[in-house]
């Protein structure tokens, strides 16, 4: 699966900070050994989730900048998300190989084009199909015509994907794996320099 290949052969060094205690952890993610283990140790998976959960808790209080103020820290966040998405994690009820497994994404951006770009990048990173959102704005036939800040909702299992206007202040991507919601993660986490071509908007 693309989700498995995206996370395979990733070498990641994470600096985890929990309850004011710095925990240095080095994890080398080798090639995938089997669908069940995906080549990740239990420690690697647990530490990836710990980093993402701590980021999410601090982001909710406006304190997440310390996770994002260097390229290495942002890389650790990206690597942690790939590890978390690729391997089962019982506490979150996340089973990526299950038939009913689904990834939920909520994208909040200042412009629908930025939202669609982020949706494309997160879908590809997480190994789920990208789909152009439909418009849920009355009188607006297509999502690219939505003016101003936009919200995009995506469900990998049902194929639901729509865009609407957004009046909130939040910007970023909410990722739900199993019963655990993570974020808001940065819109450009997977393409910081916007080097990849923008997805065609039709």
């Amino acid at each position: 699966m693309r989700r498995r290949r995206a996370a395979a052969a990733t070498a990641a060094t994470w600096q985890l900070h929990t309850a004011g205690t710095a925990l240095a952890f080095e994890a080398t993610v080798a090639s995938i050994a089997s669908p069940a283990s995906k080549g990740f140790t239990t420690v690697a998976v647990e530490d990836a989730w710990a980093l993402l959960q701590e980021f999410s808790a601090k982001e909710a209080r406006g304190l997440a900048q310390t996770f994002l103020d260097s390229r290495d820290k942002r890389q650790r966040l990206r690597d942690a998300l790939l590890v978390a998405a690729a391997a089962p994690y019982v506490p979150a009820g996340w089973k990526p190989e299950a038939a009913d497994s689904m990834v939920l994404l909520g994208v909040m951006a200042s412009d629908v084009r930025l939202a669609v770009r982020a949706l494309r990048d997160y879908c590809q990173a997480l190994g789920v199909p990208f789909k152009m959102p439909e418009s849920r704005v009355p009188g607006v036939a297509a999502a690219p015509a939505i003016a101003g800040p936009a919200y995009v909702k995506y469900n990998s299992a049902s194929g639901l994907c729509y865009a609407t206007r957004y009046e909130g202040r939040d910007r970023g991507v909410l990722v739900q794996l199993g019963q655990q919601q993570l974020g808001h993660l940065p819109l450009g986490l997977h393409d910081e320099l916007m080097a990849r071509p923008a997805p065609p908007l039709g």
Side-chain angles (χ1 to χ4, degrees):
M1 293 178 64
R2 285 188 300 165
R3 185 183 301 157
R4 189 187 311 164
R5 291 198 300 269
T10 299
T13 300
W14 298 318
Q15 184 77 25
L16 302 181
H17 302 278
T18 55
T21 300
L23 171 63
F25 169 72
E26 291 189 358
T28 299
V29 180
S31 58
I32 302 305
S34 69
S37 69
K38 293 185 178 297
F40 303 125
T41 67
T42 301
V43 174
V45 173
E46 289 181 350
D47 282 351
W49 278 92
L51 176 60
L52 292 165
Q53 289 168 341
E54 185 185 4
F55 168 83
S56 300
K58 290 193 174 180
E59 194 278 336
R61 303 197 304 271
L63 302 174
Q65 188 57 34
T66 56
F67 292 82
L68 304 171
D69 58 10
S70 75
R71 181 175 297 179
D72 287 344
K73 290 180 180 180
R74 295 190 297 274
Q75 182 65 56
R76 285 195 289 272
L77 200 61
R78 283 193 293 272
D79 291 341
L81 182 60
L82 292 180
V83 171
Y89 187 61
V90 173
W94 174 238
K95 300 177 181 179
E97 297 293 340
D100 59 352
S101 170
M102 66 179 175
V103 174
L104 301 179
L105 300 173
V107 185
M108 287 134 279
S110 59
D111 178 88
V112 70
R113 288 167 174 77
L114 292 176
V116 172
R117 178 188 283 269
L119 176 67
R120 186 272 313 272
D121 293 344
Y122 272 82
C123 284
Q124 292 184 356
L126 297 173
V128 294
F130 166 67
K131 182 179 180 181
M132 182 63 65
E134 63 182 32
S135 173
R136 287 283 182 91
V137 177
V140 179
I146 296 174
Y151 170 76
V152 173
K153 183 173 183 178
Y154 170 88
N155 183 317
S156 68
S158 68
L160 175 73
C161 187
Y162 68 82
T164 188
R165 290 195 178 100
Y166 178 65
E167 297 180 357
R169 296 183 178 181
D170 292 321
R171 297 291 184 268
V173 181
L174 294 173
V175 178
Q176 183 165 330
L177 305 175
Q179 300 168 5
Q180 179 71 60
Q181 181 173 279
L182 305 166
H184 304 78
L185 293 158
L187 290 164
L189 185 65
H190 301 286
D191 185 18
E192 292 187 354
L193 300 179
M194 299 181 72
R196 303 177 60 199
L201 297 180

